[in-house]
Amino acid sequence: LLPLVSVNQILLLLLVLTVCAILYNKVHQVPLALKNETEDLESPEEMEEEIPVVICAAAGRMGAAVAAISSIYSNTEGNVLFYIVGLKTTIPHIRKWIENSKLKEIKFKVVEFNPMVLKGKIRQDASRPELLQPLNFVRFYLPLLIQKHEKVIYLDDDVIVQGDIQELYDTKLAPGHAAAFSDDCDLPSTHEMVRSVGMQNTYMGFLDYRKQAIRDLGISPSTCSFNPGVIVANMTEWKHQRITKQLEKWMQRNVEENLYSSTLGGGVATSPMLIVFHGKYSSINPMWHIRHLGWSPDARYSEQFLQEAKLLHWNGRYKPWDYPSVHTDLWENWFIPDPSGKFKLTRPES
C-alpha cells in the first residue's frame, strides 16, 4: 500500500508542478506579447528623431511662411515638426491655408505669441516700422514656445530651403554655445553683393559706438556681425545662460539710451543678439545661409551659385512676393496660393 501512496503523491506533485509551469509561462509571456505588439505599432517615422523648425506667420506675409514650409517639406525625408508662430488674429488664416492645401500632410503645431511680453522693451523707430512687428522678436523667446526639444531650428519667413533640413539640424554646437549662426564675412561669393548694395557686415553697422554703454562692451567696431535669420539653438544652454533675460536687458537699455535702433543696420532684433552672443556661438555652413537677396532690386547672384545654395534668404526691403525683387522664380517654385484669396503676389502685370 505504501508504495502505491508514494506513487500517487509523486504523480500529484508532478501534476501540480506541470500546472505551475504552464501558469508561470503564461503570466510571463503576456508582457512579451504586449511589448512585441507595441513595437509593431510604432512606425519608423515615430521612432525617428523629430526636427523642430520654428517659423513665424505674420499678417501680410503669410505667403512667405507657406513657401518656406513648402520648400523644407519637399526637400527632406526627415521627421520635421513645424512650430508656426502667429498672433491671435492671424492664426485661423494660416491654419486654414495649411489644412486646405497640399501642406495638409505636414506635422505642425500652431503657437500663439503674446506681444504683451514686449511691453516697454521696444523703442519706436519711424524709419523702418516693419522691423518693430512683435513676431520679429519670437526668436528671443524660443524656450518659452518650445518645451520638449533639446535642439531647435529657427528660420525667418523670407527664406527658401533647397537642401535637406536634416543637414542644418546636424550642425555641431561647441560645448557652452547656446546657438549657431552664419557670419556675415564667411563667404567670398557674397562680398561683391555686400559692397554693391551697401550692406553692413560689422558691428559698426548695428551698434552706436558714440554711446558709452556700447564702447564699454569692449567689442571692436570692425568685428564681423552674424545674421540671426537662421539659428540652430540648444535649449538647455539657452535656459542655463538665461539668454532671453540678457536679450530683454539690452532691449530695455535701448529704450532708455537709444543704443542701436537708429543706426545703419536698422534691425532692432539683430543688435541685442550681436551683443549677447558675441564670441559665444558656433558657425553654420555658409551655403546654409545665402543672404542679401532682398537688399537691391537689381543686384543678382549667378544662377550656378544659387543652384548650389542650400538656403536662400531675401533679407532686406525687396521681398520675393513683392515687386520689384530679384530671383523671384526660385521663390515662386515653392509658393502655394492662398485658398482664401486674401494673400496675393505683387507682380508687374497685376
Side-chain angles (χ1 to χ4, degrees):
L1 186 65
L2 279 174
L4 185 62
V5 171
S6 298
V7 168
N8 286 340
Q9 286 176 334
I10 290 168
L11 288 173
L12 183 62
L13 182 61
L14 286 172
L15 181 63
V16 169
L17 288 173
T18 303
V19 170
C20 287
I22 291 169
L23 288 173
Y24 179 88
N25 284 335
K26 280 187 176 293
V27 168
H28 286 269
Q29 279 174 2
V30 168
L32 288 173
L34 288 175
K35 184 181 177 189
N36 289 336
E37 286 172 15
T38 305
E39 286 174 353
D40 289 340
L41 289 172
E42 285 186 359
S43 68
E45 184 177 299
E46 287 170 334
M47 295 167 69
E48 187 183 355
E49 185 179 10
E50 281 182 336
I51 303 172
V53 177
V54 179
I55 294 181
C56 295
R61 297 172 62 115
M62 286 193 197
V66 165
I69 291 167
S70 170
S71 70
I72 295 164
Y73 181 65
S74 301
N75 287 308
T76 187
E77 294 295 322
N79 183 22
V80 181
L81 172 60
F82 292 97
Y83 284 85
I84 303 169
V85 186
L87 302 180
K88 190 173 186 177
T89 53
T90 61
I91 283 174
H93 186 186
I94 192 68
R95 186 186 290 279
K96 187 176 288 187
W97 197 331
I98 289 169
E99 292 174 350
N100 290 280
S101 72
K102 64 182 182 182
L103 290 181
K104 61 179 178 287
E105 303 296 329
I106 69 170
K107 288 171 60 179
F108 74 100
K109 294 182 179 179
V110 175
V111 181
E112 181 183 339
F113 182 67
N114 185 354
M116 288 305 293
V117 300
L118 301 172
K119 190 173 182 182
K121 301 184 183 77
I122 302 178
R123 184 183 184 88
Q124 297 305 309
D125 188 349
S127 63
R128 292 194 65 186
E130 74 275 11
L131 295 174
L132 303 178
Q133 295 301 320
L135 295 181
N136 276 338
F137 301 91
V138 162
R139 71 198 91 189
F140 290 14
Y141 296 95
L142 292 176
L144 300 182
L145 300 166
I146 312 300
Q147 301 294 335
K148 65 173 186 170
H149 301 283
E150 169 76 6
K151 197 175 188 183
V152 173
I153 294 172
Y154 167 88
L155 299 177
D156 276 354
D157 61 1
D158 50 359
V159 306
I160 288 297
V161 174
Q162 301 186 136
D164 186 342
I165 199 75
Q166 182 77 52
E167 286 180 36
L168 182 60
Y169 185 72
D170 289 341
T171 298
K172 296 283 188 258
L173 273 67
H177 285 177
F181 307 98
S182 288
D183 284 311
D184 283 331
C185 313
D186 60 7
L187 205 59
S189 310
T190 67
H191 292 174
E192 187 178 335
M193 171 77 85
V194 168
R195 284 194 295 271
S196 68
V197 300
M199 172 74 182
Q200 297 299 316
N201 63 356
T202 65
Y203 273 57
M204 174 66 89
F206 293 89
L207 305 178
D208 189 346
Y209 276 83
R210 296 170 299 179
K211 301 294 170 68
Q212 189 62 43
I214 297 300
R215 293 200 299 272
D216 287 346
L217 290 169
I219 303 172
S220 168
S222 63
T223 300
C224 185
S225 55
F226 59 81
N227 186 300
V230 176
I231 308 172
V232 181
N234 179 309
M235 293 293 92
T236 302
E237 277 297 334
W238 192 293
K239 288 182 276 194
H240 175 69
Q241 297 180 33
R242 299 169 61 84
I243 297 292
T244 298
K245 288 291 182 190
Q246 292 187 59
L247 291 166
E248 287 184 326
K249 182 191 85 169
W250 284 102
M251 291 168 76
Q252 285 167 329
R253 287 199 67 174
N254 182 58
V255 170
E256 297 159 8
E257 303 173 50
N258 194 19
L259 301 176
Y260 53 75
S261 61
S262 60
T263 51
L264 294 172
V268 290
T270 298
S271 300
M273 297 197 89
L274 291 178
I275 295 171
V276 170
F277 283 101
H278 174 252
K280 293 187 293 185
Y281 65 91
S282 298
S283 294
I284 289 171
N285 179 332
M287 296 306 286
W288 267 101
H289 195 178
I290 302 303
R291 45 215 180 275
H292 317 317
L293 278 77
W295 271 83
S296 165
D298 306 307
R300 301 174 68 90
Y301 287 113
S302 76
E303 291 302 321
Q304 182 183 350
F305 177 67
L306 292 178
Q307 292 301 323
E308 294 170 358
K310 305 284 190 178
L311 181 147
L312 305 176
H313 188 184
W314 279 262
N315 59 313
R317 296 171 186 262
Y318 302 97
K319 304 301 186 187
W321 55 90
D322 281 335
Y323 180 83
S325 56
V326 295
H327 303 298
T328 53
D329 54 325
L330 292 172
W331 185 85
E332 277 193 56
N333 281 340
W334 307 108
F335 175 67
I336 298 170
D338 182 0
S340 74
K342 293 176 187 173
F343 182 93
K344 294 182 174 65
L345 302 182
T346 306
R347 295 293 179 254
E349 62 275 9
S350 61

